[in-house]
């Protein structure tokens, strides 16, 4: 607290009035030619009221002088559609990006707010994927969308990493998800592209965001209708892979001067096939395994809310969203076991794993927003959410002699698991003009309570099973994080913008695991009551220095320190059975991992974006395979802290547009060095790896309402979880869209993984366990989606502006929709 007080004292306690600053820009047509005598309006960002007017000169340039504040530029010209630039903040001289006017159609009704958003937008601190405008996104779930996102890597266990680093914090509608590992992956699989408006990949979060997320933050924003009047839309989709899949939804909205009521519902059903082959050498045995996995997803998603506009300055609202899913998981396949010394078959294990899973998630947000004259903003959010996850798993292991016919043993278990997660949070944010810049202060209290109960039964027949108390477990975990932050940014007169902040987080956690444990199959079971208590406080500074004297060639130097705390299931010392030869065990000694990141970003002519980043990760998490004491043919998986990871990464992106054709390409390359020593010899980790991804998107305006897309992704060999060397993979997707019913409807056709190249594989060698594996999902997949909009389409221009301003403001401020984007 003393450090934070000193830090805040640097800003003083008095506020000053900013001097007039120049706002400059240029207006072109769609061919890049200057448009003279266009009307340029400077609008106040909060209420879209006109502040000043100007007219472009013969060269298309304009200049407006205004006081500090948040503004929006609109440009109109006879014969062209009115266009709006993104909201911006004046704390010094500002150059607005070039505004290109499009010729108006004679049949156009109403006012055009903006041109269609590009599929991908690249900014200094984040990448925005506009999912709802992308043809090839049809039929994907959120996990598959991330798999195809620039710089994002999904490994064989569905763990998410970004720019070569694990520890990605996933947000839904600006709220951090408490899920991790398989629970998070299953939840993302239940979110369909039809529900998603955009995905933000935030690589350099400011102090306003939670410090969690070593690699950054991925914020998935669900759709919310912002149109005036009574209106809505409906969509229906079909996907054909190995199995058929269906999805559909409806979106309704009513908005006037006083209230905004909105709601949507989405349904998704489908089966998904995954094939995995594994070869493993351990001690004196060779294991050859073939698995066929079928995942059945049956999901209902909903979102509803109400905004009440108390006056022009204040709004109060409530948002409720949820997800109810029933997921079935079925795995079957033989594992042939050979003696390494002779090469002769020893036996065959046929495993059958079925899991009936159910999940309910409901989140409620109450929020208040207030904006007063002088640029002062205040907001408060109160949130409650819960997850109820139920799992009924039957795990059968059937042993056969080498003839494959004679069964000589079997082990069958039922594992009934219940997980309840309750989340509470209260957050306050305050921002105002200060010393010619913007000062933001805030705090948050967050509480997460988790109760995980596992009961394991030995099954002797369909009607005969006995609870195995020695292999059952209950784990209760509570985590309380209290945070304060301060953030300041200012445009200096010498063409330099500064931004720096500090976040303090105090963490209290308490875990209690009860059950039985033993060292190996020959030692006795002993009861234990393991308590895990931690209490620590950390400071997380961040800052950025932008050189923008020449707006056509801007440089930004940034730094941040971040943390990743262990997930509750990674701390539980209980031993979970995956099969008769593999177990998973938590680690009570697992410590948080910390990352210091430095980046240098260049934006050239508002198009070419280049970013160089260096990160040093201390105590990085890695899932380590090890052998069971006294039983060298059996192994267990456990999260441990590697000593360090050093990551150098480079990303380059460039958009291009000419008439009916547009192109976007981005590449992300990184060099990583992993180091750890768990006892010498085969327990050392010293991996150096260079990897890269390349993403390409081509869009074609084919005329008469037809548009097309062709996209490709290549992922080079890399390292997963610190010890697994992965192989290269990639995909090519293509799609078409046709606009129907005078713009009210659309139909999209898409094919994913045209050449069937999205196949993953890898190798690992640690603690005497050498493994080679490969796998693939359904490919290709053929997808069709129909969308129809109905209701009011004639929107008053002022309200259109306000809707556009609200949307863009939330994006530029971290996607804070419904409450908790800026933590």
């Amino acid at each position: 607290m003393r450090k934070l007080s000193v830090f805040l004292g640097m800003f003083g306690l008095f506020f000053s009035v900013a001097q007039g600053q120049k706002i400059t820009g240029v207006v072109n047509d769609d061919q890049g030619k200057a448009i003279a005598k266009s009307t340029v309006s400077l609008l106040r960002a909060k209420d879209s009221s006109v502040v000043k007017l100007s007219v472009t000169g013969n060269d298309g340039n304009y200049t407006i002088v205004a006081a500090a504040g948040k503004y929006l530029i609109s440009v109109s010209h006879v014969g062209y559609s009115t266009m709006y630039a993104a909201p911006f903040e004046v704390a010094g001289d500002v150059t607005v990006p070039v505004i290109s006017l499009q010729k108006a159609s004679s049949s156009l009704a109403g006012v055009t707010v903006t041109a269609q958003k590009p599929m991908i937008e690249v900014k200094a601190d984040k990448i925005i994927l506009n999912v709802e405008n992308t043809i090839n996104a049809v039929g994907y779930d959120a996990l598959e969308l991330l798999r195809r996102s620039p710089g994002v890597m999904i490994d064989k266990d569905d763990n998410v990493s970004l720019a070569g680093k694990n520890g990605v914090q996933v947000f839904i509608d600006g709220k951090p998800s408490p899920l991790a590992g398989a629970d998070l992956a299953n939840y993302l699989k239940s979110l369909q592209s039809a529900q998603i408006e955009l995905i933000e990949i935030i690589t350099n979060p400011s102090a306003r965001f939670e410090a969690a997320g070593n690699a950054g933050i991925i914020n998935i924003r669900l759709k919310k209708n912002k149109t005036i009047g009574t209106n809505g839309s409906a969509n229906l989709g079909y996907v054909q892979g190995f199995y058929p899949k269906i999805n559909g939804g409806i979106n309704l909205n009513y908005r006037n001067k006083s209230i905004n009521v909105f709601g949507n519902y989405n349904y998704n059903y489908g089966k998904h096939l995954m094939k995995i082959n594994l070869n493993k050498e351990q001690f004196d045995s060779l294991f050859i395994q073939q698995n066929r996995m079928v995942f059945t997803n049956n999901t209902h998603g909903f979102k509803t809310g109400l905004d009440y506009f108390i006056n022009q300055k204040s709004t109060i609202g409530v948002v409720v969203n949820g997800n109810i899913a029933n997921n079935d998981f079925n795995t079957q396949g033989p594992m042939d076991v050979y003696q390494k010394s002779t090469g002769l078959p020893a036996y065959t294990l046929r495993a059958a794993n079925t899991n009936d899973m159910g999940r309910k998630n409901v989140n409620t947000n109450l929020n208040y927003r207030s904006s007063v004259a002088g640029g002062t903003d205040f907001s408060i959010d109160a949130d409650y959410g819960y997850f109820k996850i139920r799992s009924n798993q039957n795990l059968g292991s059937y042993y056969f002699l080498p003839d494959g016919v004679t069964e000589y043993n079997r082990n069958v278990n039922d594992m009934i698991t219940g997980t309840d997660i309750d989340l509470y949070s209260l957050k306050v944010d305050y921002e105002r003009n200060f010393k010619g810049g913007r000062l933001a202060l805030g705090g948050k209290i967050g509480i997460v309570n988790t109760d995980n109960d596992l009961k394991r039964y030995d099954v002797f027949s369909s009607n005969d099973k006995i609870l195995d108390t020695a292999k059952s477990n209950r784990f209760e975990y509570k985590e309380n994080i209290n945070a304060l932050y301060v953030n300041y940014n200012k445009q200096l007169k010498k063409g330099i913008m500064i931004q720096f902040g500090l976040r303090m987080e105090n963490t209290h956690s308490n875990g209690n695991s009860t059950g039985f444990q033993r060292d190996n199959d020959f030692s006795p079971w002993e009861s234990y009551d393991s308590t895990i208590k931690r209490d620590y406080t950390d400071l997380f500074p961040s800052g950025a220095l932008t050189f923008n004297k020449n707006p056509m060639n801007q440089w930004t130097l940034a730094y941040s320190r971040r943390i990743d705390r262990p997930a509750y299931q990674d701390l539980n010392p209980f031993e979970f059975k995956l099969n008769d030869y593999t177990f998973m065990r938590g680690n009570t000694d697992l410590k948080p991992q910390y990352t210091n990141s430095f980046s240098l970003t260049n934006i050239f002519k508002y198009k070419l974006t280049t970013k160089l980043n260096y990160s040093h990760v201390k105590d990085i998490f890695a899932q380590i395979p090890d052998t069971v004491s006294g039983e060298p043919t059996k192994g267990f998986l456990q999260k441990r802290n590697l000593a360090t990871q050093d990551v150098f990464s480079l990303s380059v992106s460039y958009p291009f547009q000419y008439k009916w054709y547009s192109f976007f390409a981005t590449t992300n390359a990184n060099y990583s060095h992993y180091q750890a020593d768990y006892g010498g010899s085969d327990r050392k980790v010293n991996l150096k790896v260079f990897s890269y991804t390349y993403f390409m998107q081509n869009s074609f305006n084919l005329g008469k309402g037809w548009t097309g897309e062709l996209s490709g992704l290549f992922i080079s060999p890399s390292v997963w979880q610190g010890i697994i060397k992965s192989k290269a993979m990639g995909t090519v997707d293509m799609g078409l869209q046709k606009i129907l019913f005078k713009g009210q409807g659309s139909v999209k056709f898409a094919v994913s993984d045209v050449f069937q190249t999205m196949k993953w594989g890898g190798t690992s060698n640690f603690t005497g366990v050498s493994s080679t594996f490969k796998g693939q999902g359904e490919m290709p997949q053929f997808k069709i989606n129909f969308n129809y909009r109905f209701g009011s389409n004639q929107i008053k221009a002022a309200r259109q502006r306000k809707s556009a301003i609200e949307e863009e403001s939330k994006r530029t401020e971290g996607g804070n929709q419904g409450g908790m984007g800026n933590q």
Side-chain angles (χ1 to χ4, degrees), residues 766-815:
F766 188 76
T767 63
V769 181
S770 177
S771 301
T772 301
F773 50 84
K774 60 181 179 179
Q776 66 182 67
E778 298 181 59
M779 50 180 143
Q781 294 189 38
F782 302 88
K783 303 174 287 185
I784 184 172
N785 179 272
F786 174 72
N787 182 276
Y788 183 76
R789 297 185 299 274
F790 53 86
S792 173
N793 288 321
Q794 299 298 318
I795 309 170
K796 293 182 180 180
R799 289 176 179 172
Q800 278 187 316
R801 289 197 299 267
K802 185 173 182 180
S803 178
I805 294 165
E806 289 173 348
E807 177 184 2
E808 189 63 30
S809 294
K810 288 172 181 175
R811 290 172 62 178
T812 56
E813 293 174 6

Side-chain angles (χ1 to χ4, degrees), residues 259-512:
I259 63 169
N260 178 38
V261 183
F262 57 91
N264 61 58
Y265 166 79
N266 290 273
Y267 174 73
N268 169 58
Y269 174 83
K271 288 185 177 181
H272 305 264
L273 174 66
M274 176 72 75
K275 296 178 181 179
I276 298 179
N277 295 330
L278 170 68
N279 291 353
K280 181 174 69 171
E281 293 184 20
Q282 185 170 344
F283 192 52
D284 62 349
S285 299
L286 172 64
F287 302 85
I288 300 178
Q289 185 176 3
Q290 299 178 14
N291 277 339
R292 186 178 187 274
M293 304 179 181
V294 178
F295 178 81
T296 304
N297 187 15
N298 187 3
T299 305
H300 305 264
F302 62 89
K303 181 175 182 177
T304 185
L306 168 68
D307 295 320
Y308 175 66
F309 309 113
I310 301 172
N311 50 47
Q312 292 186 346
K313 300 176 181 178
S314 302
T315 303
I316 189 170
V318 58
V319 180
V320 179
N321 64 70
N323 184 284
I324 300 172
N326 292 310
N327 302 322
D328 294 331
F329 185 77
N330 184 289
T331 303
Q332 291 185 343
M335 181 170 70
D336 297 319
V337 183
Y338 296 82
Q339 293 179 347
K340 286 177 59 178
S341 57
T342 64
L344 297 176
Y347 57 89
T348 296
L349 167 61
R350 294 177 184 171
N353 183 354
T354 61
N355 195 349
D356 182 10
M357 298 176 287
R359 183 184 60 254
K360 295 180 181 179
N361 166 231
V362 177
N363 306 294
T364 303
N365 166 260
L366 298 174
N367 60 81
Y368 171 77
R369 307 278 184 270
S370 176
S371 299
V372 298
T376 300
D377 300 328
F378 174 77
S379 65
I380 184 170
D381 291 271
D383 288 86
Y384 170 71
Y386 72 84
F387 287 82
K388 292 187 180 297
I389 304 172
R390 299 293 182 265
S391 173
N392 185 348
Q393 183 178 15
N394 178 268
L395 182 60
S397 300
Y398 305 89
Y399 293 85
F400 292 82
L401 295 176
D403 60 16
V405 177
T406 307
E407 180 184 345
Y408 69 90
N409 191 27
R410 65 171 57 185
N411 294 318
V412 183
N413 301 110
D414 278 350
M415 287 176 280
I416 313 298
T417 306
T419 301
D420 294 333
I421 304 175
D422 292 285
L423 306 98
Y424 309 83
S425 70
L426 179 66
K427 181 174 70 72
V428 177
D429 296 294
Y430 174 81
E431 185 176 1
R432 68 161 300 158
N433 296 331
F434 178 72
K435 299 289 186 182
R438 293 288 287 178
L439 173 67
L441 304 168
K444 179 188 174 184
I445 299 173
I447 299 173
V448 179
N449 294 334
T450 302
D451 188 352
N452 187 84
D453 187 24
L454 168 67
K455 291 182 171 62
R456 173 170 160 172
Y457 294 84
D458 294 324
V459 179
F460 302 98
S461 67
S462 58
N463 297 318
D464 184 14
K465 60 182 182 181
I466 298 175
L467 176 65
D468 188 344
T469 57
K471 299 180 182 180
S472 299
N473 171 261
R474 184 175 184 182
F475 185 57
E476 297 173 281
Y477 186 74
K478 297 180 179 181
E479 186 176 73
N480 167 222
I481 300 175
N482 304 303
L484 292 173
Y485 77 85
V486 57
N487 196 72
Y488 182 74
N489 64 77
K490 180 179 180 178
Q491 176 70 48
L492 304 179
K493 292 184 178 181
K494 296 182 179 181
I496 299 176
M497 176 176 283
I498 59 171
Q499 178 271 317
F500 53 94
L502 181 67
R503 187 177 184 91
M504 182 186 71
E505 291 189 350
N506 174 244
T507 304
H508 304 268
S509 62
N510 190 342
N512 186 49

Side-chain angles (χ1 to χ4, degrees), residues 147-159:
R147 194 187 302 274
R148 287 160 169 79
S149 299
V152 179
M153 180 82 71
I154 310 294
D155 69 14
K156 68 180 184 67
D157 297 319
D158 291 336
N159 295 303

Side-chain angles (χ1 to χ4, degrees), residues 131-177:
V131 175
E132 62 180 346
N133 293 329
T134 306
I135 300 171
N136 287 338
V138 168
Y140 281 136
D141 58 47
L143 190 67
E144 285 301 312
L145 288 173
L146 292 181
R147 194 187 302 274
R148 287 160 169 79
S149 299
V152 179
M153 180 82 71
I154 310 294
D155 69 14
K156 68 180 184 67
D157 297 319
D158 291 336
N159 295 303
V160 183
S161 61
L162 180 61
K165 295 178 287 184
N166 64 9
V168 179
Q169 178 67 58
V170 175
F171 283 51
I172 308 296
D173 268 347
K175 301 176 178 66
S177 171

Side-chain angles (χ1 to χ4, degrees), residues 52-325:
K52 287 187 179 182
L53 298 174
S54 182
V55 177
T56 59
N58 293 331
D59 55 0
N61 289 308
Y62 62 87
T63 300
I64 300 174
V65 178
K70 290 184 178 180
Y71 298 102
L72 177 77
I73 289 287
S74 77
V75 179
S76 60
H77 192 90
V78 176
Y80 292 85
S81 302
T82 301
M83 302 295 291
Y84 295 83
F88 57 89
E89 185 174 325
V90 173
D93 293 346
V94 174
T95 300
V96 178
V98 175
I99 298 176
S100 297
L101 299 185
Q102 307 290 324
K103 288 187 177 181
S105 169
S106 58
S107 61
L108 183 63
V111 179
T112 300
V113 179
T114 61
Q116 188 181 44
K117 299 170 189 172
M119 175 188 174
I120 297 180
E121 298 174 70
V122 179
K123 301 187 177 182
D125 62 338
K126 62 185 172 183
I127 297 174
I128 301 172
L129 284 74
N130 292 301
V131 175
E132 62 180 346
N133 293 329
T134 306
I135 300 171
N136 287 338
V138 168
Y140 281 136
D141 58 47
L143 190 67
E144 285 301 312
L145 288 173
L146 292 181
R147 194 187 302 274
R148 287 160 169 79
S149 299
V152 179
M153 180 82 71
I154 310 294
D155 69 14
K156 68 180 184 67
D157 297 319
D158 291 336
N159 295 303
V160 183
S161 61
L162 180 61
K165 295 178 287 184
N166 64 9
V168 179
Q169 178 67 58
V170 175
F171 283 51
I172 308 296
D173 268 347
K175 301 176 178 66
S177 171
L179 303 178
D183 289 338
L184 176 61
N186 289 333
Y187 176 73
L188 293 177
K189 289 176 183 177
S190 71
L191 292 178
Q192 296 301 299
S193 61
Q195 300 172 250
I196 299 172
E197 177 184 357
L198 58 85
I199 297 174
E200 294 175 307
I201 302 174
I202 307 171
T203 54
N204 188 32
S206 72
R208 298 187 65 168
F209 286 91
E210 288 194 10
N214 277 356
I217 292 170
I218 295 178
N219 181 36
I220 300 174
R221 256 181 49 191
L222 306 180
K223 291 180 179 178
K224 175 183 175 182
N225 197 322
K226 309 174 185 73
T227 312
I228 300 294
T230 302
N231 48 77
S233 65
N235 68 85
L236 182 64
Y238 177 81
V239 178
Q240 181 64 56
F242 188 87
Y243 295 106
K245 308 161 187 61
I246 60 171
N247 58 81
I250 188 169
N251 186 351
L252 298 172
N253 183 79
Y254 173 76
R255 182 175 182 137
N256 61 25
K257 294 187 300 182
S258 301
I259 63 169
N260 178 38
V261 183
F262 57 91
N264 61 58
Y265 166 79
N266 290 273
Y267 174 73
N268 169 58
Y269 174 83
K271 288 185 177 181
H272 305 264
L273 174 66
M274 176 72 75
K275 296 178 181 179
I276 298 179
N277 295 330
L278 170 68
N279 291 353
K280 181 174 69 171
E281 293 184 20
Q282 185 170 344
F283 192 52
D284 62 349
S285 299
L286 172 64
F287 302 85
I288 300 178
Q289 185 176 3
Q290 299 178 14
N291 277 339
R292 186 178 187 274
M293 304 179 181
V294 178
F295 178 81
T296 304
N297 187 15
N298 187 3
T299 305
H300 305 264
F302 62 89
K303 181 175 182 177
T304 185
L306 168 68
D307 295 320
Y308 175 66
F309 309 113
I310 301 172
N311 50 47
Q312 292 186 346
K313 300 176 181 178
S314 302
T315 303
I316 189 170
V318 58
V319 180
V320 179
N321 64 70
N323 184 284
I324 300 172

